[in-house]
Amino acid sequence: MSSATASGPPDAAAALTVVDAGDRRELRLSGRLDSYSIAGIWPDARAALTAAPGRLIVIDASGVDYCDGGGIAMLIDLLRQQRAASASVSLFGLRPQFHALLDQFDPAAMRVPVEQPGARINVIAEIGRAAAITGRDMRAQVAFIGETAAALWYAARHPARVRWKDVWYTCEQVGVNALPIVALISFLLGIILAFQAAVPMRQFGAELFVADLVGLSILRELGPLMTAILLAGRSGAAFAAEIGTMKVNEELNALTTMGLDPVRFLVVTRILAALLMMPLLALFADLIGILGGALTMITFNIPIASFLHEVDSLVDVKDLLAGLAKTPVFAILIAGIGCLRGLQTQTGASAVGISATRAVVSGIILLVVVDGIYAFVYYLLDI
Amino acid sequence: MPADPIISVEHLTAGYEGNVLMRDINFTVNRGEVFVILGGSGSGKSTLLKHMIGLYQPIAGSILIEGDDIVTAEGAARRAILNKIGVMYQSGALFGSMTLLENVRLPLEEYTALDAAAMDLIARMKLQLVGLDAFCGHMPAEISGGMQKRAAIARAMALDPMILFLDEPSAGLDPITSVELDQLILRLAKSLRITFVIVTHELASIYTVSDRVIMLDKRTKGIIAEGDPKVLRDTSDNPWVRQFFRREVAAEAA
């Protein structure tokens, strides 16, 4: 037999005939009753039953060639209907081997509706729950900051005990592998900045000052910030997913029972790698961004040499350092929050995804907050 | 009972990336029997099972399910074969975001045109068959490992397959739950006439449920024994087979 249909061997399809004889109604079933073929007759059979509430119902199943669990379910459905004694439903003619299947079930028990878990939403309870969760989360963050700081301090005093192999490996993941995307985004940023500024400034013959605008904004602000956002999207999410998967696989429990601190083992290496790579990536982003601006200005008849000279004359090393000074803090934030979300992973298939999402979202929020604080402090200190 | 092969594995050579796990294997599974695949760790039991359900592509050979080759079938023909089989994975593999009832309903929703009430009833009856009627609305994470395996069997049975494949049904279960699972398998095999193909190395369960076993061995990369497990235990002259059965027997006596 090599049938290519999804409905099994080609027996006679399921069929239903309703015959009214005096005060009783006969439902004659025939053919093959399986999950695929009964879909056509099940609603009709149920309708025939409910349309005759006062009559005796007899189901004649002597014409049934084959009956699987689906067919049995249909018979149970018809037999379980709540009816008056004078209008009961009875069944005859079902072959013994199928009747044995039917006997495993009690139609009366199937009348009781399935208990679904309560899905009602109480606004006040939800607000309370959200507040409690937020409170717990903040506590966890404070505790995590403490643990991480202790572990980093330990690492600083015992550099030999840091797992440098893991650090270098993570450096490659976080730093080297991020170069293409960082280059792409910062190059685009330089082009867009330069072009958007050059068009209005040309009206005043001030195209040359685009160089200052691009140089300052990329070095002080956008280079480090865009790199940090990319890092949050790439590596923050990756840290959360890696550690989350390890948690789901009980690898974290294994570390703990071996007496190894997951924070020292997993978090410190990742924070160190991010700390090492983030300033380099930001510097790289600065260079590529300015290059993008310079190339754009060629189309406005400003040679690269003049562009760079203009950048050099106005932009100071101080500006470069002001930008780069943010990167260690960004790195600790992103790597830390990624690891924290990973450690907080719950069980289940969607848990790792949720952790990665939360790592990116909280990472970016913290970046914005910290960058604002930096801007304020720089303003006060007149840097 | 006359032999009526429902699955025939012919000249199967399997493995991955140049590492052949089994070479030129032949056997058949008869309709209605409980067939057990035995072997030590690393002998390729689970790999063989995954070939039989079409997850892995063999290096050579064919696997016929009711005469249709699952290796070469594609599209609708492949779906038709897959609808004849149900699989319970070692971990249960229930979808964690759905209740048990929704897990069992899923194949019905995708493959039949039944209305919602009908699908609910069928799904509920399957769960009742495995004794989980009271847990329809629970999430998989809320029930025990043994219950998850039973729910996975209920899901595998949603479309009334002719063959159920079980990968290590008793792994990770306590002896009592494991015996209950054996009883369930026997009851389903008897009442629904489902053919079972089971991968296990739980000796107690093998003697209880199986009609016939094959035993794989990684040293010969093939089948080293085939037949009734009790007969193999008592009469096999293959030292590896004797070791497999006897060691456990000795442990049981102790």
Side-chain angles (χ1 to χ4, degrees):
Chain A
M1 182 178 63
S2 64
S3 78
T5 58
S7 51
D11 283 352
L16 167 76
T17 331
V18 181
V19 182
D20 286 326
D23 59 344
R24 50 182 242 167
R25 166 170 275 195
E26 262 189 48
L27 307 183
R28 287 183 192 151
L29 294 170
S30 63
R32 183 185 164 83
L33 302 186
D34 63 26
S35 307
Y36 309 102
S37 61
I38 53 173
I41 62 167
W42 192 332
D44 296 344
R46 211 186 285 141
L49 218 69
T50 43
R55 288 158 101 177
L56 207 63
I57 303 283
V58 178
I59 302 169
D60 176 1
S62 49
V64 173
D65 304 317
Y66 175 82
C67 184
D68 73 358
I72 297 295
M74 183 174 87
L75 294 175
I76 293 273
D77 185 41
L78 300 177
L79 291 171
R80 74 172 168 171
Q81 304 296 327
Q82 199 93 50
R83 296 171 73 87
S86 62
S88 64
V89 182
S90 60
L91 168 75
F92 77 95
L94 190 64
R95 289 190 204 163
Q97 73 258 38
F98 305 134
H99 219 293
L101 294 180
L102 183 65
D103 291 341
Q104 299 189 7
F105 302 97
D106 174 14
M110 287 296 172
R111 274 179 209 145
V112 187
V114 177
E115 247 185 68
Q116 293 288 351
R120 281 185 56 195
I121 295 173
N122 182 331
V123 178
I124 294 173
E126 284 301 313
I127 291 172
R129 189 171 298 125
I133 289 173
T134 312
R136 217 177 304 141
D137 193 39
M138 285 168 81
R139 263 184 74 115
Q141 289 186 22
V142 170
F144 178 75
I145 289 169
E147 279 177 58
T148 310
L152 282 174
W153 177 239
Y154 181 84
R157 284 188 305 152
H158 304 88
R161 301 221 40 195
V162 174
R163 299 178 55 83
W164 290 107
K165 211 177 125 205
D166 292 353
V167 175
W168 299 136
Y169 173 75
T170 314
C171 279
E172 185 186 337
Q173 302 288 317
V174 172
V176 181
N177 295 351
L179 286 178
I181 184 77
V182 169
L184 180 72
I185 297 291
S186 44
F187 189 69
L188 193 71
L189 201 68
I191 289 177
I192 292 171
L193 268 179
F195 192 78
Q196 294 291 342
V199 173
M201 277 162 101
R202 187 166 53 178
Q203 296 173 10
F204 308 103
E207 296 104 301
L208 190 59
F209 298 113
V210 170
D212 305 323
L213 185 144
V214 170
L216 270 182
S217 50
I218 285 193
L219 287 186
R220 286 188 69 103
E221 197 60 51
L222 292 174
L225 189 65
M226 288 309 287
T227 313
I229 289 176
L230 282 176
L231 199 75
R234 274 186 92 253
S235 303
F239 291 168
E242 281 165 17
I243 298 181
T245 309
M246 290 180 76
K247 177 153 183 194
V248 172
N249 290 340
E250 293 198 281
E251 289 174 47
L252 290 188
N253 292 349
L255 279 177
T256 312
T257 48
M258 279 186 246
L260 303 171
D261 178 16
V263 171
R264 180 174 83 75
F265 224 76
L266 303 171
V267 179
V268 168
T269 52
R270 286 176 169 81
I271 288 185
L272 284 179
L275 260 176
L276 290 172
M277 289 298 114
M278 178 75 203
L280 299 180
L281 278 178
L283 195 61
F284 176 71
D286 290 347
L287 286 174
I288 300 282
I290 289 176
L291 183 71
L295 288 179
T296 310
M297 293 316 290
I298 292 177
T299 58
F300 289 88
N301 296 320
I302 293 177
I304 290 187
S306 329
F307 185 94
L308 293 182
H309 184 261
E310 181 62 30
V311 171
D312 190 33
S313 67
L314 191 96
V315 180
D316 219 352
V317 175
K318 191 185 71 180
D319 297 312
L320 174 69
L321 293 181
L324 290 183
K326 301 174 184 175
T327 54
V329 179
F330 287 173
I332 292 177
L333 276 180
I334 292 163
I337 203 82
C339 294
L340 172 66
R341 295 310 184 206
L343 292 172
Q344 287 174 332
T345 302
Q346 313 272 317
T347 52
S350 57
V352 175
I354 292 171
S355 291
T357 310
R358 290 181 63 199
V360 175
V361 172
S362 356
I364 290 177
I365 291 174
L366 282 176
L367 278 182
V368 171
V369 172
V370 170
D371 199 46
I373 295 174
Y374 261 105
F376 185 63
V377 172
Y378 283 170
Y379 174 76
L380 285 185
L381 298 179
D382 197 20
I383 295 175
Chain B
M1 186 168 64
D4 173 14
I6 190 165
I7 308 174
S8 16
V9 173
E10 296 171 355
H11 307 293
L12 178 76
T13 299
Y16 18 59
E17 285 172 23
N19 176 22
V20 172
L21 267 174
M22 53 199 84
R23 185 167 283 135
D24 198 21
I25 287 194
N26 292 281
F27 64 90
T28 57
V29 179
N30 296 324
R31 195 180 293 274
E33 76 180 347
V34 178
F35 185 86
V36 170
I37 302 171
L38 293 178
S41 298
S43 59
K45 306 183 293 285
S46 288
T47 309
L48 176 59
L49 186 89
K50 288 188 172 114
H51 278 94
M52 292 170 80
I53 59 183
L55 279 182
Y56 291 173
Q57 197 68 20
I59 295 169
S62 50
I63 294 154
L64 306 178
I65 293 180
E66 285 207 310
D68 301 320
D69 192 349
I70 196 165
V71 176
T72 53
E74 280 172 14
R78 186 178 172 85
R79 272 197 298 283
I81 299 174
L82 290 179
N83 283 349
K84 292 177 188 171
I85 68 174
V87 185
M88 188 209 84
Y89 293 92
Q90 206 176 115
S91 62
L94 296 169
F95 302 119
S97 56
M98 304 179 185
T99 64
L100 297 195
L101 194 78
E102 288 165 345
N103 261 287
V104 182
R105 260 181 66 139
L106 181 73
L108 294 163
E109 288 169 8
E110 292 301 315
Y111 282 107
T112 69
L114 296 166
D115 59 37
M119 286 191 291
D120 274 345
L121 180 66
I122 295 180
R124 199 169 156 199
M125 285 167 57
K126 303 295 178 197
L127 283 166
Q128 199 188 50
L129 273 182
V130 299
L132 291 174
D133 187 32
F135 296 90
C136 286
H138 282 60
M139 306 300 281
E142 296 169 345
I143 59 174
S144 72
M147 288 164 138
Q148 287 183 10
K149 293 205 173 186
R150 281 188 279 152
I153 293 181
R155 185 180 67 182
M157 292 195 308
L159 289 169
D160 289 284
M162 286 176 257
I163 312 162
L164 272 183
F165 291 88
L166 311 184
D167 192 0
E168 306 252 5
S170 39
L173 297 185
D174 66 88
I176 296 169
T177 315
S178 155
V179 166
E180 282 171 5
L181 204 58
D182 289 346
Q183 301 299 333
L184 174 68
I185 292 168
L186 283 176
R187 195 158 56 81
L188 294 175
K190 207 160 146 271
S191 65
L192 302 176
R193 285 160 217 276
I194 296 175
T195 308
F196 278 88
V197 177
I198 305 174
V199 165
T200 185
H201 42 224
E202 196 80 13
L203 270 183
S205 142
I206 294 162
Y207 295 132
T208 319
V209 298
S210 68
D211 295 315
R212 217 149 55 82
V213 304
I214 56 168
M215 189 164 167
L216 302 177
D217 192 274
K218 59 181 164 190
R219 287 161 286 207
T220 61
K221 300 187 186 221
I223 298 173
I224 53 169
E226 181 169 1
D228 184 309
K230 294 194 184 80
V231 175
L232 286 180
R233 174 189 61 189
D234 298 334
T235 64
S236 174
D237 47 10
N238 184 317
W240 295 330
V241 177
R242 291 168 74 92
Q243 194 189 13
F244 186 92
F245 284 110
R246 293 288 167 81
R247 184 169 36 182
E248 285 285 327
V249 171
E252 270 178 355

